[in-house]
Amino acid sequence: MNRKRWTALAIAAALFIISVLVNAVGILLSDKSETWSKNWLSLMEDSFSEEVIEDGDPLKKIVVLEVNGVIEDTGEAETFFSSSFYNHQAFLKMIKQVKEDDSVKAIVLRINSPGGGVVESAEVHNQLLKLKKETKKPIYVSMGAMAASGGYYIATAGDKLFASPETITGSIGVIMQSINYEGLAKKYGVELVTIKSGPYKDIMNPARKMTDAEQEILQRLINQSYEGFVDVIVEGRKLSEEAVRKLADGRIYNGRQAKALQLIDEFGYLDDTIAALKKEHRLSGAQVVKYVSDTPWSSLFGVISNNAKPETEASELIRLLSRPSSPRLMYLFSE
């Protein structure tokens, strides 16, 4: 067995052991000391300190909030194993921390994402709008290599959008996918037995072809989510609904095309975005920071995840274990 497989097995074993220990301690503490239990479990929660990107006045800060990877709430698995990928609950807590910190004067939303869940994208967008409304703190968006679909959805909360000429963005639309292995199952004599309470309970059953009625039900859901996507672009980018519908057919755009279509405002990288924010909002000399996790577990599992590169079997195992298995409505270009 090679080193990669040993690493994958070690991480899986660690996940199992920690799960057992947490459950066991939780049961014991719930009986003996509820207060002590809450204090112990609070160590598992995310807290954040600041890592300085550019020196400056600490009473006049710009915070860079990073969205890396698929915008998806996969529970606690990612909290344990990696701080480099997107963690939905942690990101929402970062937004809250920005809102409550009076020394933070502005935000740069750094996006490198193909999108993600409809619900999660809408939640992030909503919280960013609340942040702007309640604090009047400007949000500038810096797009990385990709800010597509749900990545673009959350970008529309920004006051000004920057991207490189080669950034992939757009992919405005909704998708829901499943696999149909009916033919394969018949070939090998496999039968999926389903007992259901209603005719549509097993909608998108991978062992049979979808009916016209089922497809119509799902198409209505997708259409409604699509309308929501169109609305946030109309409102965020100050474009007409007709113009948005013409460009929102699911295709991707590079930065040059996006600028011509008014989906972004300027060409620029992260440094350019920060410089523009300082100049246009009188933040010369501001300190630029980003949040890093203070959770005690993050260092331990960060070492594990850093040793297991994204291409390894270990990281793929973590990704598969943490992903929901049911088909979902997604603002997603690709994975």
Side-chain angles (χ1 to χ4, degrees), residues 56-71:
D57 185 352
L59 298 179
K60 188 170 63 174
K61 290 184 292 195
I62 297 171
V63 172
V64 177
L65 295 180
E66 298 179 330
V67 177
N68 294 312
V70 179
I71 305 167

Side-chain angles (χ1 to χ4, degrees), residues 194-203 205 208 214:
T194 303
I195 301 172
K196 54 188 179 180
S197 59
Y200 302 118
K201 183 59 180 172
D202 69 332
I203 199 167
N205 185 333
R208 63 173 177 81
E214 289 172 331

Side-chain angles (χ1 to χ4, degrees), residues 147-184:
S149 205
Y152 185 75
Y153 188 107
I154 65 173
T156 61
D159 299 296
K160 198 166 187 179
L161 277 57
F162 289 75
S164 80
E166 306 303 334
T167 293
I168 296 298
T169 188
S171 187
I172 300 166
V174 192
I175 191 169
M176 190 178 196
Q177 289 182 313
S178 181
I179 296 173
N180 185 329
Y181 54 71
E182 180 181 12
L184 185 64

